[in-house]
Amino acid sequence: MEKIILRKDYKTRVVPVEESIGYYLAKRAARTWTEDFIDEDTKKTVTIDRCEVLLERGKLITYELANELKKDGFNEVEISDCPFRAEEEQYFPGLAHVKVTVRSSNNENAVLIVRSDSLRGAQDCAIDYAEGAVNKIFDSPDASYVYITKSEIVGKFHFIGRTNADIEEEEDQLEKDPDALVKESFKVKANFIDTDVFDPEDRFHYGVHKNDMFVVWAYDVVTAKNIVFDYLKHKFHTVYNDRETLRIVGATQFYAHTYVPAEYCNEYIKDDKKRLPVEE
């Protein structure tokens, strides 16, 4: 059994690269830079941040790795006697979709999709929303309390949300006709190249999107595919060397979740620049 080292006893220090051999990286070694490109629609110069991770935190530094770091321009690194792999990512680099499962005192489960810049923020948003929307997300409205049972960052899923106007229109139709058609959620898989940032010489294939998942609400699977195709064509430039790279490679129904509105999510997003446009 491995020796247990308490996190409060972890010690780190910054040393010259040549003195780091035999120790673990306490912070990842990454090279960052910015690149400019011209937006074809606005003709304005857009600056994007680029990052190349050379070694992840927790990596044991060998003589060979130390030499590679020196060649890449690193003079000092932060090291530890411990692998130092476990870390809570308090704030995400951008907004993430977090799937939060909540349970009522009546043992009913509901799944909320929250957009947030932190896991804690997503959990706070979800539980507050659940508390105020008990009648909407649970079948039994008389729950005395609600609690979180699971939180999960949704990886390559991108949610194309419905607007409040869409939801209200469906509710009005159902009031008039209980048998009226309602939109269902579909997950649509797409491959494409974002040609604004794609560099064929980049070994990390930055700008190449493979098997990205999009969740969209539609009456049928064909419409769902078309919505995603049109959304991506509007958001990205996908033609490379006179060839259309965008391909919709699959679509199936997606288990219905409650998609927490943007205006509610914004109350829990710390960085003003990351806040969402409100879905009117």
Side-chain angles (χ1 to χ4, degrees):
M1 181 176 178
E2 291 187 11
K3 179 183 177 182
I4 297 176
I5 303 174
L6 301 180
R7 295 190 67 79
K8 66 182 180 65
D9 296 328
Y10 279 17
K11 299 290 190 299
T12 69
R13 61 189 188 279
V14 177
V15 300
V17 169
E18 54 270 20
E19 296 180 18
S20 67
I21 298 170
Y23 295 95
Y24 298 93
L25 273 184
K27 290 184 178 179
R28 70 180 187 179
R31 185 169 62 89
T32 60
W33 69 99
T34 60
E35 290 184 2
D36 294 337
F37 69 92
I38 304 298
D39 188 304
E40 293 183 5
D41 292 332
T42 63
K43 305 304 180 185
K44 293 182 179 180
T45 301
V46 179
T47 301
I48 61 171
D49 296 323
R50 300 290 299 272
C51 177
E52 179 184 4
V53 178
L54 303 174
L55 290 178
E56 288 289 355
R57 65 195 303 274
K59 189 73 174 178
L60 179 65
I61 302 298
T62 62
Y63 178 82
E64 291 76 16
L65 291 178
N67 282 338
E68 289 182 18
L69 289 172
K70 291 286 287 184
K71 289 178 183 178
D72 284 310
F74 287 85
N75 296 317
E76 294 180 329
V77 289
E78 187 170 346
I79 60 167
S80 170
D81 295 330
C82 312
F84 219 120
R85 296 189 183 100
E87 182 182 30
E88 178 183 348
E89 186 174 22
Q90 293 185 342
Y91 290 96
F92 309 139
L95 288 185
H97 284 84
V98 183
K99 184 168 69 173
V100 183
T101 304
V102 294
R103 180 175 295 171
S104 74
S105 53
N106 296 325
N107 286 326
E108 289 184 75
N109 289 324
V111 177
L112 304 176
I113 300 295
V114 180
R115 289 157 290 177
S116 180
D117 59 355
S118 70
L119 184 58
R120 294 295 176 90
Q123 292 173 334
D124 288 345
C125 180
I127 202 65
D128 287 349
Y129 184 82
E131 187 177 61
V134 169
N135 294 345
K136 290 185 178 180
I137 65 175
F138 296 114
D139 292 331
S140 302
D142 58 344
S144 57
Y145 60 85
V146 179
Y147 58 93
I148 294 174
T149 60
K150 185 178 180 182
S151 300
E152 178 185 359
I153 299 173
V154 184
K156 279 192 172 183
F157 277 79
H158 309 273
F159 290 77
I160 305 175
R162 292 184 293 176
T163 66
N164 289 335
D166 290 335
I167 297 171
E168 289 172 2
E169 182 182 349
E170 286 187 20
E171 290 175 347
D172 289 342
Q173 289 176 348
L174 287 172
E175 283 186 9
K176 296 174 183 176
D177 179 7
D179 296 324
L181 290 176
V182 294
K183 291 181 179 178
E184 298 178 294
S185 52
F186 294 87
K187 59 181 180 181
V188 181
K189 186 187 297 184
N191 297 338
F192 64 96
I193 295 176
D194 178 3
T195 58
D196 284 336
V197 298
F198 174 67
D199 179 0
E201 302 298 324
D202 179 11
R203 61 192 177 97
F204 293 98
H205 305 294
Y206 188 76
V208 177
H209 294 256
K210 188 173 183 181
N211 295 334
D212 278 18
M213 287 287 191
F214 298 84
V215 176
V216 64
W217 280 260
Y219 290 114
D220 55 70
V221 68
V222 174
T223 305
K225 289 180 179 180
N226 291 336
I227 290 173
V228 172
F229 188 92
D230 292 342
Y231 170 81
L232 291 174
K233 287 300 294 181
H234 177 75
K235 190 175 179 66
F236 300 99
H237 294 114
T238 60
V239 175
Y240 183 70
N241 286 342
D242 297 325
R243 182 178 67 87
E244 176 59 71
T245 66
L246 175 57
R247 298 286 185 274
I248 303 298
V249 295
T252 58
Q253 278 194 290
F254 184 73
Y255 179 75
H257 301 310
T258 297
Y259 194 68
V260 178
E263 58 186 342
Y264 205 92
C265 293
N266 282 343
E267 295 296 322
Y268 299 82
I269 296 172
K270 297 291 186 182
D271 188 345
D272 291 344
K273 295 179 181 178
K274 294 179 183 176
R275 291 187 177 176
L276 297 151
V278 175
E279 296 152 349
E280 300 291 353

